[in-house]
Amino acid sequence: MKAEKKTGQNSINGKPKGSLGAMLLRLLSVFVVLHILWGLIAALLKRDMLPSPLVVYRALFKLDGGEMLLNIGTSMGRVLAGIALALIIGLLLGLLMGRSPRWNKLLDPVVYLTYPIPKIALLPVAMLFLGLGEASKIVMIALILVFQVIISVRDGVKAIPANTYDVLTSLGAGRMAKFTQITLPGALSSILSTIRISLGTAFSVLFFTEIYGTEHGMGYFIMDAWLRLDYPGMYAGILLFSGVGFLLFVLVDLFEHRFMKWRA
């Protein structure tokens, strides 16, 4: 009993109290080690193309705050819009394929034939049909994510044991209750795992799409600094771009912790 009480006191929602602190400590340790390696390589090379961390952070703090907020906000808007579009389409098709064997047989060949196509190769096609504006950028990000969402949601829904639904049926639950209590949590679990894997790819595509037809966005800022041979500014932009991706990754973890504590 004492052991159980002690365990309960040292945990919150099934997770140890020290887990957050330990994770932050690990992140800080990796951050420091990477910067030490960066500094050592920069000192060995002694070339302008790889400035030291101190030089880059000086350039970072000299950047115009308003301009950088505009660039970050523009990139975030494009990423979030692309993710939202992919989730809407992927969730609908994934649920349909997961719950209906007939639709799965119909759509499964389509997904598997189109999924292996390298989506970045479709960037010129998207720009031809949608122009150089926001639509082509958002659609390209959605294309990167949507197939992975479809497959993950479909497999997640199909993996739910049939007797799980039988329990709610015996309790008199309707279709909506089954969807909200069983199907949707199973789908969300797969979606979050997919988003984690796909965020890096989505930001890579965003970088390429922001090179053309725009004057705002982190991809544009980084390439503009590179063309001007402003290497400290370029690396400062890369740091900010990476920070935006890291924040989105953390938001996914926070969403999971808030709405799916059963995965703890």
Side-chain angles (χ1 to χ4, degrees), residues 17-72:
K17 286 184 179 180
S19 60
L20 178 59
M23 182 185 70
L24 291 176
L25 182 60
R26 288 194 298 270
L27 288 173
L28 181 60
S29 300
V30 173
F31 182 81
V32 171
V33 170
L34 289 176
H35 277 68
I36 291 174
L37 292 175
W38 176 8
L40 290 174
I41 296 173
L44 289 173
L45 289 179
K46 295 181 179 179
R47 302 182 67 177
D48 292 339
M49 67 178 63
L50 183 61
S52 68
L54 182 60
V55 173
V56 172
Y57 278 101
R58 283 176 182 170
L60 178 63
F61 288 110
K62 289 180 181 179
L63 294 175
D64 183 86
E67 179 187 357
M68 297 316 299
L69 283 175
L70 177 60
N71 288 326
I72 292 172

Short mmCIF file of all heavy atoms in Angstrom, two decimals, residues 17-72:
data_model
loop_
_atom_site.label_atom_id
_atom_site.label_comp_id
_atom_site.label_asym_id
_atom_site.label_seq_id
_atom_site.Cartn_x
_atom_site.Cartn_y
_atom_site.Cartn_z
N LYS A 17 6.28 12.85 -12.35
CA LYS A 17 6.41 14.30 -12.29
C LYS A 17 7.70 14.77 -12.92
O LYS A 17 7.77 15.85 -13.50
CB LYS A 17 6.34 14.76 -10.83
CG LYS A 17 4.96 14.71 -10.20
CD LYS A 17 5.02 15.27 -8.80
CE LYS A 17 3.64 15.26 -8.16
NZ LYS A 17 3.66 15.80 -6.79
N GLY A 18 8.76 13.96 -12.75
CA GLY A 18 10.06 14.37 -13.26
C GLY A 18 10.25 14.14 -14.73
O GLY A 18 11.31 14.47 -15.26
N SER A 19 9.25 13.56 -15.41
CA SER A 19 9.44 13.23 -16.82
C SER A 19 9.61 14.47 -17.67
O SER A 19 10.43 14.51 -18.58
CB SER A 19 8.25 12.40 -17.34
OG SER A 19 7.05 13.14 -17.21
N LEU A 20 8.84 15.54 -17.37
CA LEU A 20 8.95 16.77 -18.13
C LEU A 20 10.31 17.41 -17.92
O LEU A 20 10.96 17.86 -18.87
CB LEU A 20 7.84 17.74 -17.72
CG LEU A 20 7.84 19.12 -18.42
CD1 LEU A 20 7.72 18.94 -19.92
CD2 LEU A 20 6.72 20.00 -17.87
N GLY A 21 10.75 17.46 -16.66
CA GLY A 21 12.06 18.02 -16.38
C GLY A 21 13.18 17.25 -17.05
O GLY A 21 14.13 17.83 -17.56
N ALA A 22 13.05 15.91 -17.02
CA ALA A 22 14.08 15.08 -17.65
C ALA A 22 14.12 15.29 -19.16
O ALA A 22 15.20 15.34 -19.77
CB ALA A 22 13.82 13.61 -17.34
N MET A 23 12.93 15.44 -19.77
CA MET A 23 12.89 15.67 -21.21
C MET A 23 13.51 17.01 -21.56
O MET A 23 14.28 17.12 -22.53
CB MET A 23 11.43 15.63 -21.69
CG MET A 23 11.29 15.82 -23.19
SD MET A 23 9.57 15.92 -23.73
CE MET A 23 9.12 17.52 -23.03
N LEU A 24 13.20 18.06 -20.77
CA LEU A 24 13.78 19.38 -21.02
C LEU A 24 15.30 19.34 -20.85
O LEU A 24 16.03 20.00 -21.61
CB LEU A 24 13.17 20.40 -20.07
CG LEU A 24 11.70 20.74 -20.30
CD1 LEU A 24 11.20 21.69 -19.22
CD2 LEU A 24 11.50 21.36 -21.68
N LEU A 25 15.75 18.59 -19.87
CA LEU A 25 17.20 18.47 -19.65
C LEU A 25 17.88 17.78 -20.83
O LEU A 25 18.95 18.20 -21.28
CB LEU A 25 17.47 17.69 -18.35
CG LEU A 25 18.95 17.52 -17.97
CD1 LEU A 25 19.60 18.88 -17.77
CD2 LEU A 25 19.07 16.67 -16.70
N ARG A 26 17.23 16.75 -21.37
CA ARG A 26 17.79 16.06 -22.54
C ARG A 26 17.83 16.98 -23.75
O ARG A 26 18.82 17.01 -24.49
CB ARG A 26 16.98 14.80 -22.85
CG ARG A 26 17.16 13.67 -21.86
CD ARG A 26 16.62 12.36 -22.40
NE ARG A 26 15.19 12.43 -22.65
CZ ARG A 26 14.26 12.12 -21.75
NH1 ARG A 26 14.63 11.73 -20.54
NH2 ARG A 26 12.98 12.18 -22.04
N LEU A 27 16.75 17.73 -23.95
CA LEU A 27 16.72 18.67 -25.07
C LEU A 27 17.81 19.73 -24.93
O LEU A 27 18.49 20.06 -25.91
CB LEU A 27 15.35 19.35 -25.14
CG LEU A 27 14.18 18.50 -25.63
CD1 LEU A 27 12.87 19.26 -25.49
CD2 LEU A 27 14.38 18.09 -27.09
N LEU A 28 17.98 20.26 -23.73
CA LEU A 28 19.01 21.26 -23.49
C LEU A 28 20.40 20.68 -23.72
O LEU A 28 21.27 21.35 -24.30
CB LEU A 28 18.88 21.80 -22.07
CG LEU A 28 19.88 22.90 -21.66
CD1 LEU A 28 19.73 24.11 -22.56
CD2 LEU A 28 19.70 23.28 -20.19
N SER A 29 20.60 19.44 -23.29
CA SER A 29 21.90 18.79 -23.47
C SER A 29 22.23 18.63 -24.95
O SER A 29 23.35 18.93 -25.39
CB SER A 29 21.91 17.42 -22.77
OG SER A 29 21.66 17.56 -21.40
N VAL A 30 21.26 18.16 -25.72
CA VAL A 30 21.47 18.00 -27.17
C VAL A 30 21.72 19.35 -27.82
O VAL A 30 22.59 19.49 -28.69
CB VAL A 30 20.25 17.29 -27.80
CG1 VAL A 30 20.38 17.28 -29.33
CG2 VAL A 30 20.12 15.87 -27.27
N PHE A 31 20.96 20.36 -27.40
CA PHE A 31 21.12 21.72 -27.94
C PHE A 31 22.54 22.23 -27.70
O PHE A 31 23.18 22.78 -28.61
CB PHE A 31 20.10 22.65 -27.27
CG PHE A 31 20.12 24.06 -27.77
CD1 PHE A 31 19.47 24.41 -28.94
CD2 PHE A 31 20.78 25.06 -27.05
CE1 PHE A 31 19.48 25.71 -29.40
CE2 PHE A 31 20.80 26.37 -27.51
CZ PHE A 31 20.15 26.69 -28.68
N VAL A 32 23.05 22.03 -26.50
CA VAL A 32 24.41 22.49 -26.16
C VAL A 32 25.46 21.72 -26.94
O VAL A 32 26.40 22.30 -27.49
CB VAL A 32 24.65 22.35 -24.64
CG1 VAL A 32 26.12 22.62 -24.31
CG2 VAL A 32 23.75 23.31 -23.87
N VAL A 33 25.30 20.40 -27.03
CA VAL A 33 26.27 19.58 -27.75
C VAL A 33 26.33 19.96 -29.23
O VAL A 33 27.41 20.08 -29.82
CB VAL A 33 25.92 18.08 -27.59
CG1 VAL A 33 26.77 17.22 -28.55
CG2 VAL A 33 26.16 17.64 -26.16
N LEU A 34 25.16 20.16 -29.85
CA LEU A 34 25.12 20.56 -31.26
C LEU A 34 25.82 21.90 -31.48
O LEU A 34 26.54 22.09 -32.47
CB LEU A 34 23.68 20.64 -31.75
CG LEU A 34 22.95 19.30 -31.92
CD1 LEU A 34 21.49 19.54 -32.31
CD2 LEU A 34 23.63 18.43 -32.96
N HIS A 35 25.63 22.83 -30.55
CA HIS A 35 26.27 24.14 -30.69
C HIS A 35 27.78 24.05 -30.48
O HIS A 35 28.55 24.78 -31.12
CB HIS A 35 25.64 25.14 -29.72
CG HIS A 35 24.39 25.76 -30.22
ND1 HIS A 35 23.23 25.04 -30.40
CD2 HIS A 35 24.10 27.03 -30.62
CE1 HIS A 35 22.28 25.84 -30.86
NE2 HIS A 35 22.79 27.05 -31.01
N ILE A 36 28.20 23.17 -29.57
CA ILE A 36 29.64 22.97 -29.39
C ILE A 36 30.27 22.40 -30.66
O ILE A 36 31.33 22.87 -31.11
CB ILE A 36 29.89 22.03 -28.19
CG1 ILE A 36 29.52 22.74 -26.88
CG2 ILE A 36 31.36 21.60 -28.14
CD1 ILE A 36 29.59 21.86 -25.66
N LEU A 37 29.62 21.39 -31.24
CA LEU A 37 30.12 20.81 -32.49
C LEU A 37 30.14 21.86 -33.60
O LEU A 37 31.10 21.95 -34.38
CB LEU A 37 29.26 19.62 -32.91
CG LEU A 37 29.34 18.38 -32.03
CD1 LEU A 37 28.33 17.33 -32.49
CD2 LEU A 37 30.75 17.79 -32.08
N TRP A 38 29.07 22.64 -33.68
CA TRP A 38 28.99 23.72 -34.67
C TRP A 38 30.17 24.69 -34.49
O TRP A 38 30.84 25.07 -35.46
CB TRP A 38 27.65 24.42 -34.51
CG TRP A 38 27.43 25.62 -35.38
CD1 TRP A 38 28.21 26.09 -36.40
CD2 TRP A 38 26.33 26.54 -35.29
NE1 TRP A 38 27.68 27.22 -36.96
CE2 TRP A 38 26.53 27.52 -36.28
CE3 TRP A 38 25.22 26.62 -34.46
CZ2 TRP A 38 25.63 28.58 -36.46
CZ3 TRP A 38 24.33 27.66 -34.65
CH2 TRP A 38 24.54 28.62 -35.63
N GLY A 39 30.42 25.11 -33.25
CA GLY A 39 31.52 26.04 -32.99
C GLY A 39 32.87 25.46 -33.34
O GLY A 39 33.74 26.15 -33.90
N LEU A 40 33.08 24.17 -33.04
CA LEU A 40 34.36 23.53 -33.34
C LEU A 40 34.59 23.44 -34.85
O LEU A 40 35.70 23.72 -35.35
CB LEU A 40 34.39 22.12 -32.72
CG LEU A 40 34.50 22.07 -31.19
CD1 LEU A 40 34.39 20.63 -30.70
CD2 LEU A 40 35.81 22.70 -30.72
N ILE A 41 33.54 23.03 -35.60
CA ILE A 41 33.68 22.93 -37.06
C ILE A 41 33.94 24.30 -37.67
O ILE A 41 34.78 24.46 -38.56
CB ILE A 41 32.41 22.29 -37.66
CG1 ILE A 41 32.26 20.85 -37.18
CG2 ILE A 41 32.48 22.32 -39.19
CD1 ILE A 41 30.95 20.20 -37.58
N ALA A 42 33.22 25.32 -37.17
CA ALA A 42 33.43 26.68 -37.67
C ALA A 42 34.85 27.16 -37.39
O ALA A 42 35.48 27.82 -38.23
CB ALA A 42 32.42 27.63 -37.05
N ALA A 43 35.38 26.83 -36.22
CA ALA A 43 36.74 27.24 -35.86
C ALA A 43 37.78 26.53 -36.72
O ALA A 43 38.82 27.10 -37.08
CB ALA A 43 37.00 26.96 -34.39
N LEU A 44 37.51 25.26 -37.06
CA LEU A 44 38.45 24.50 -37.89
C LEU A 44 38.44 24.98 -39.33
O LEU A 44 39.49 25.10 -39.98
CB LEU A 44 38.12 23.01 -37.81
CG LEU A 44 38.42 22.31 -36.48
CD1 LEU A 44 37.89 20.89 -36.49
CD2 LEU A 44 39.93 22.30 -36.22
N LEU A 45 37.24 25.24 -39.87
CA LEU A 45 37.13 25.65 -41.26
C LEU A 45 37.60 27.09 -41.48
O LEU A 45 38.25 27.40 -42.47
CB LEU A 45 35.68 25.51 -41.75
CG LEU A 45 35.16 24.09 -41.93
CD1 LEU A 45 33.71 24.12 -42.39
CD2 LEU A 45 36.01 23.32 -42.95
N LYS A 46 37.21 27.98 -40.56
CA LYS A 46 37.57 29.40 -40.66
C LYS A 46 37.18 29.98 -42.02
O LYS A 46 37.98 30.61 -42.71
CB LYS A 46 39.07 29.60 -40.43
CG LYS A 46 39.53 29.24 -39.03
CD LYS A 46 41.02 29.49 -38.86
CE LYS A 46 41.46 29.15 -37.44
NZ LYS A 46 42.92 29.36 -37.26
N ARG A 47 35.91 29.73 -42.39
CA ARG A 47 35.41 30.24 -43.66
C ARG A 47 34.10 31.00 -43.42
O ARG A 47 33.33 30.67 -42.52
CB ARG A 47 35.17 29.09 -44.66
CG ARG A 47 36.43 28.27 -44.93
CD ARG A 47 36.19 27.19 -45.94
NE ARG A 47 35.93 27.72 -47.27
CZ ARG A 47 35.74 26.96 -48.35
NH1 ARG A 47 35.79 25.64 -48.24
NH2 ARG A 47 35.50 27.51 -49.51
N ASP A 48 33.88 32.01 -44.26
CA ASP A 48 32.70 32.86 -44.09
C ASP A 48 31.40 32.08 -44.25
O ASP A 48 30.37 32.46 -43.68
CB ASP A 48 32.73 34.01 -45.10
CG ASP A 48 33.85 35.00 -44.81
OD1 ASP A 48 34.31 35.03 -43.65
OD2 ASP A 48 34.26 35.72 -45.74
N MET A 49 31.43 31.00 -45.04
CA MET A 49 30.20 30.25 -45.30
C MET A 49 29.69 29.50 -44.08
O MET A 49 28.55 29.05 -44.06
CB MET A 49 30.41 29.27 -46.46
CG MET A 49 31.39 28.14 -46.15
SD MET A 49 31.54 26.99 -47.53
CE MET A 49 32.21 28.07 -48.80
N LEU A 50 30.52 29.36 -43.05
CA LEU A 50 30.07 28.74 -41.81
C LEU A 50 30.52 29.59 -40.63
O LEU A 50 31.55 29.34 -40.01
CB LEU A 50 30.62 27.31 -41.66
CG LEU A 50 30.12 26.55 -40.42
CD1 LEU A 50 28.60 26.39 -40.44
CD2 LEU A 50 30.79 25.18 -40.31
N PRO A 51 29.74 30.63 -40.30
CA PRO A 51 30.09 31.47 -39.16
C PRO A 51 29.87 30.74 -37.84
O PRO A 51 29.14 29.74 -37.78
CB PRO A 51 29.14 32.66 -39.29
CG PRO A 51 27.98 32.14 -40.07
CD PRO A 51 28.54 31.09 -40.99
N SER A 52 30.48 31.23 -36.81
CA SER A 52 30.35 30.62 -35.49
C SER A 52 28.95 30.88 -34.92
O SER A 52 28.26 31.81 -35.36
CB SER A 52 31.40 31.18 -34.54
OG SER A 52 31.13 32.55 -34.27
N PRO A 53 28.54 30.09 -33.94
CA PRO A 53 27.22 30.34 -33.33
C PRO A 53 27.09 31.75 -32.77
O PRO A 53 26.02 32.35 -32.86
CB PRO A 53 27.17 29.29 -32.21
CG PRO A 53 28.06 28.19 -32.67
CD PRO A 53 29.16 28.85 -33.42
N LEU A 54 28.17 32.30 -32.19
CA LEU A 54 28.11 33.64 -31.62
C LEU A 54 27.78 34.68 -32.70
O LEU A 54 26.95 35.57 -32.49
CB LEU A 54 29.44 33.98 -30.95
CG LEU A 54 29.53 35.34 -30.25
CD1 LEU A 54 28.47 35.43 -29.16
CD2 LEU A 54 30.93 35.57 -29.69
N VAL A 55 28.42 34.55 -33.87
CA VAL A 55 28.18 35.49 -34.97
C VAL A 55 26.74 35.37 -35.46
O VAL A 55 26.07 36.37 -35.73
CB VAL A 55 29.17 35.23 -36.12
CG1 VAL A 55 28.82 36.07 -37.34
CG2 VAL A 55 30.60 35.52 -35.68
N VAL A 56 26.24 34.14 -35.56
CA VAL A 56 24.88 33.92 -36.05
C VAL A 56 23.86 34.48 -35.07
O VAL A 56 22.87 35.13 -35.47
CB VAL A 56 24.63 32.42 -36.29
CG1 VAL A 56 23.15 32.16 -36.61
CG2 VAL A 56 25.50 31.91 -37.43
N TYR A 57 24.08 34.28 -33.78
CA TYR A 57 23.12 34.79 -32.80
C TYR A 57 23.16 36.32 -32.72
O TYR A 57 22.13 36.95 -32.45
CB TYR A 57 23.37 34.17 -31.43
CG TYR A 57 22.75 32.80 -31.30
CD1 TYR A 57 23.52 31.64 -31.43
CD2 TYR A 57 21.38 32.65 -31.08
CE1 TYR A 57 22.94 30.38 -31.33
CE2 TYR A 57 20.80 31.40 -30.98
CZ TYR A 57 21.59 30.27 -31.11
OH TYR A 57 21.01 29.04 -31.02
N ARG A 58 24.31 36.90 -32.98
CA ARG A 58 24.36 38.36 -33.07
C ARG A 58 23.50 38.85 -34.24
O ARG A 58 22.75 39.82 -34.10
CB ARG A 58 25.81 38.81 -33.27
CG ARG A 58 26.66 38.79 -32.00
CD ARG A 58 28.09 39.16 -32.33
NE ARG A 58 28.94 39.10 -31.15
CZ ARG A 58 30.27 39.19 -31.19
NH1 ARG A 58 30.89 39.34 -32.37
NH2 ARG A 58 30.98 39.14 -30.09
N ALA A 59 23.63 38.15 -35.37
CA ALA A 59 22.81 38.51 -36.54
C ALA A 59 21.34 38.28 -36.26
O ALA A 59 20.48 39.04 -36.71
CB ALA A 59 23.27 37.70 -37.75
N LEU A 60 21.05 37.23 -35.52
CA LEU A 60 19.66 36.91 -35.20
C LEU A 60 18.99 38.03 -34.40
O LEU A 60 17.86 38.44 -34.69
CB LEU A 60 19.60 35.59 -34.40
CG LEU A 60 18.22 35.12 -33.92
CD1 LEU A 60 17.31 34.83 -35.10
CD2 LEU A 60 18.37 33.87 -33.05
N PHE A 61 19.70 38.56 -33.42
CA PHE A 61 19.13 39.60 -32.58
C PHE A 61 19.12 40.97 -33.25
O PHE A 61 18.50 41.90 -32.73
CB PHE A 61 19.88 39.67 -31.25
CG PHE A 61 19.60 38.50 -30.34
CD1 PHE A 61 20.58 37.56 -30.09
CD2 PHE A 61 18.34 38.33 -29.77
CE1 PHE A 61 20.32 36.48 -29.26
CE2 PHE A 61 18.07 37.26 -28.94
CZ PHE A 61 19.07 36.32 -28.68
N LYS A 62 19.80 41.07 -34.38
CA LYS A 62 19.78 42.33 -35.14
C LYS A 62 18.69 42.35 -36.20
O LYS A 62 18.48 43.37 -36.85
CB LYS A 62 21.15 42.55 -35.81
CG LYS A 62 22.26 42.90 -34.83
CD LYS A 62 23.57 43.12 -35.57
CE LYS A 62 24.70 43.45 -34.59
NZ LYS A 62 26.00 43.63 -35.31
N LEU A 63 18.01 41.22 -36.40
CA LEU A 63 16.96 41.17 -37.42
C LEU A 63 15.79 42.06 -37.04
O LEU A 63 15.49 42.26 -35.85
CB LEU A 63 16.47 39.72 -37.59
CG LEU A 63 17.49 38.72 -38.16
CD1 LEU A 63 16.89 37.32 -38.16
CD2 LEU A 63 17.92 39.11 -39.57
N ASP A 64 15.12 42.57 -38.05
CA ASP A 64 13.93 43.40 -37.83
C ASP A 64 12.79 42.54 -37.31
O ASP A 64 12.34 41.60 -37.99
CB ASP A 64 13.53 44.09 -39.14
CG ASP A 64 12.35 45.02 -38.95
OD1 ASP A 64 12.57 46.18 -38.58
OD2 ASP A 64 11.20 44.57 -39.15
N GLY A 65 12.32 42.85 -36.11
CA GLY A 65 11.30 42.02 -35.48
C GLY A 65 9.99 41.97 -36.26
O GLY A 65 9.39 40.90 -36.42
N GLY A 66 9.55 43.11 -36.77
CA GLY A 66 8.31 43.15 -37.53
C GLY A 66 8.39 42.33 -38.81
O GLY A 66 7.44 41.60 -39.15
N GLU A 67 9.52 42.44 -39.50
CA GLU A 67 9.69 41.68 -40.74
C GLU A 67 9.71 40.19 -40.47
O GLU A 67 9.10 39.39 -41.21
CB GLU A 67 10.98 42.11 -41.42
CG GLU A 67 11.26 41.35 -42.72
CD GLU A 67 12.63 41.66 -43.29
OE1 GLU A 67 13.36 42.49 -42.72
OE2 GLU A 67 12.99 41.04 -44.32
N MET A 68 10.41 39.80 -39.40
CA MET A 68 10.51 38.37 -39.10
C MET A 68 9.17 37.81 -38.64
O MET A 68 8.83 36.66 -38.95
CB MET A 68 11.59 38.13 -38.04
CG MET A 68 12.98 38.51 -38.48
SD MET A 68 13.40 37.99 -40.16
CE MET A 68 13.25 36.20 -40.02
N LEU A 69 8.41 38.58 -37.89
CA LEU A 69 7.07 38.12 -37.50
C LEU A 69 6.19 37.91 -38.73
O LEU A 69 5.41 36.95 -38.79
CB LEU A 69 6.42 39.12 -36.55
CG LEU A 69 6.90 39.10 -35.10
CD1 LEU A 69 6.25 40.23 -34.31
CD2 LEU A 69 6.60 37.75 -34.45
N LEU A 70 6.33 38.80 -39.71
CA LEU A 70 5.57 38.66 -40.96
C LEU A 70 5.99 37.39 -41.70
O LEU A 70 5.14 36.63 -42.18
CB LEU A 70 5.77 39.88 -41.84
CG LEU A 70 5.10 39.85 -43.22
CD1 LEU A 70 3.59 39.72 -43.07
CD2 LEU A 70 5.45 41.11 -44.01
N ASN A 71 7.30 37.15 -41.78
CA ASN A 71 7.80 35.95 -42.48
C ASN A 71 7.37 34.67 -41.76
O ASN A 71 6.91 33.71 -42.40
CB ASN A 71 9.32 36.00 -42.57
CG ASN A 71 9.82 37.03 -43.56
OD1 ASN A 71 9.19 37.26 -44.59
ND2 ASN A 71 10.94 37.67 -43.27
N ILE A 72 7.51 34.67 -40.44
CA ILE A 72 7.12 33.48 -39.67
C ILE A 72 5.62 33.25 -39.75
O ILE A 72 5.15 32.12 -39.95
CB ILE A 72 7.56 33.62 -38.20
CG1 ILE A 72 9.09 33.58 -38.10
CG2 ILE A 72 6.96 32.52 -37.34
CD1 ILE A 72 9.62 33.91 -36.71
#
